[in-house]
Amino acid sequence: MHRRVTVPARVNIIGEHTDYGQGLALPFAINRYLVLTIKSCESGYSGDETVIALWQALGGPPADLTVSSEIAQGKGMSSSAALCLAIVLGKYGNINLLEACKKAQSLEHDVLNTPCGLLDQMAIMYAKSQHCTIIDFSTMEVKYLDLPENWIFKLVDSNIHRNLSEMNYNSHNDFLKQHLISENQRVKQAISAKPETLGQLLNQSHDSLKQLGVSTQEVDSLVENLQQTDGVLGARMMGGGFGGMILVLVENDAVLPNYLPVVSSRAPLLEEL
């Protein structure tokens, strides 16, 4: 076996902390990649300790495992999901999309000790270039929406690193049901929204996530400053919470000139070498 698996990161436009509540989400994959190369060997395993543990958890045979990644860890861009999906695809090949997602989720639960839902895995596996996916976690149905050219997103790093395996980030507090209802409604509104309306929805989403208890004062301050910046239509924390990237919707490329617009990507690529 000599395989290379290239897996993109993902951005979630709206629909945060909804996957484990059978809700809705609107993500798309972006052009930052993790690359796993697997080369069989006669005996033993070489590579990063975590990568080896994930590979062995699936019963992977002796191999040299090499990972290179442009996906920053602990930033809300699905670095752990990308790694687990790469391991699954490297082991099983091009299997059923949802089956690959569930196997990768199990690895996150059992090996990485991250109590994640299926947002990241499905956002990546079902990705189509120039499209975002509308995921309904109550049915696991996926629909596609052309990514409007005037939805211009940038990512701003809060420089607050967090490890979700150490966070009780999907605790079912009293506000969760209210968040799910309002966030699902925001996803539905976002599907046909003009940029100005979508920006308002992002701001509302952050307010709800703040009440849910998955943000921090430092992140809230950064988000508020961004929301008040000329040319910014909306901003919110992204991912599991407690730090990481802030998603910012801007009027045009010139807004926040130190940051590049994110570019959509296709689904993972499996190559036989």
Side-chain angles (χ1 to χ4, degrees):
M1 178 194 295
H2 193 186
R3 287 176 167 172
R4 180 167 59 220
V5 189
T6 304
V7 182
R10 71 96 187 91
V11 159
N12 189 23
I13 299 171
I14 201 160
E16 207 73 81
H17 283 269
T18 58
D19 50 351
Y20 55 85
Q22 291 76 56
L24 304 171
L26 187 66
F28 65 100
I30 66 169
N31 66 338
R32 298 187 191 182
Y33 300 99
L34 177 145
V35 180
L36 168 67
T37 304
I38 305 162
K39 190 172 183 178
S40 295
C41 57
E42 290 187 7
S43 63
Y45 301 84
S46 66
D48 177 82
E49 181 179 346
T50 300
V51 177
I52 292 172
L54 292 166
W55 181 248
Q56 289 178 328
L58 293 182
D64 296 327
L65 303 161
T66 306
V67 173
S68 62
S69 182
E70 303 169 326
I71 308 174
Q73 294 184 336
K75 298 296 184 181
M77 295 175 62
S78 72
S79 58
S80 59
L83 174 59
C84 290
L85 282 169
I87 293 286
V88 169
L89 295 174
K91 173 67 166 64
Y92 297 106
N94 288 314
I95 61 173
N96 173 272
L97 298 184
L98 187 56
E99 183 181 354
C101 293
K102 290 181 176 179
K103 286 182 181 296
Q105 181 192 38
S106 294
L107 284 178
E108 287 213 56
H109 289 179
D110 300 339
V111 181
L112 302 183
N113 298 313
T114 304
C116 61
L118 279 166
L119 166 63
D120 295 349
Q121 298 85 351
M122 293 184 71
I124 292 169
M125 285 302 299
Y126 288 86
K128 285 175 64 175
S129 182
Q130 303 305 319
H131 292 76
C132 44
T133 50
I134 307 164
I135 306 175
D136 184 340
F137 294 101
S138 67
T139 62
M140 296 302 172
E141 180 184 13
V142 175
K143 296 179 180 178
Y144 291 96
L145 175 71
D146 288 342
L147 198 55
E149 291 184 4
N150 57 1
W151 286 11
I152 303 170
F153 296 103
K154 296 191 174 186
L155 293 173
V156 175
D157 193 347
S158 70
N159 290 313
I160 301 170
H161 183 89
R162 80 283 187 278
N163 183 350
L164 291 182
S165 66
E166 299 171 359
M167 303 289 185
N168 190 22
Y169 76 95
N170 65 353
S171 59
H172 291 266
N173 66 23
D174 294 339
F175 187 71
L176 180 57
K177 184 174 181 181
Q178 185 177 336
H179 169 74
L180 283 168
I181 293 170
S182 63
E183 190 77 348
N184 286 339
Q185 188 60 38
R186 283 187 285 272
V187 173
K188 293 175 183 176
Q189 292 175 286
I191 290 169
S192 58
K194 294 181 178 180
E196 294 77 13
T197 302
L198 181 61
Q200 295 171 5
L201 294 171
L202 295 187
N203 293 344
Q204 293 168 15
S205 177
H206 185 80
D207 287 343
S208 187
L209 291 163
K210 183 165 61 174
Q211 292 182 70
L212 188 61
V214 296
S215 188
T216 69
Q217 289 185 347
E218 296 92 338
V219 171
D220 293 341
S221 178
L222 287 167
V223 168
E224 185 176 339
N225 288 338
L226 286 164
Q227 289 171 345
Q228 295 173 356
T229 301
D230 288 344
V232 168
L233 301 175
R236 72 172 188 85
M237 57 146 278
M238 188 180 71
F242 308 103
M245 292 291 181
I246 297 169
L247 180 67
V248 187
L249 180 67
V250 295
E251 287 182 348
N252 55 62
D253 290 0
V255 179
L256 301 178
N258 293 332
Y259 300 90
L260 294 173
V262 295
V263 178
S264 75
S265 171
R266 53 161 287 166
L269 175 66
L270 173 64
E271 301 170 279
E272 302 287 352
L273 303 176

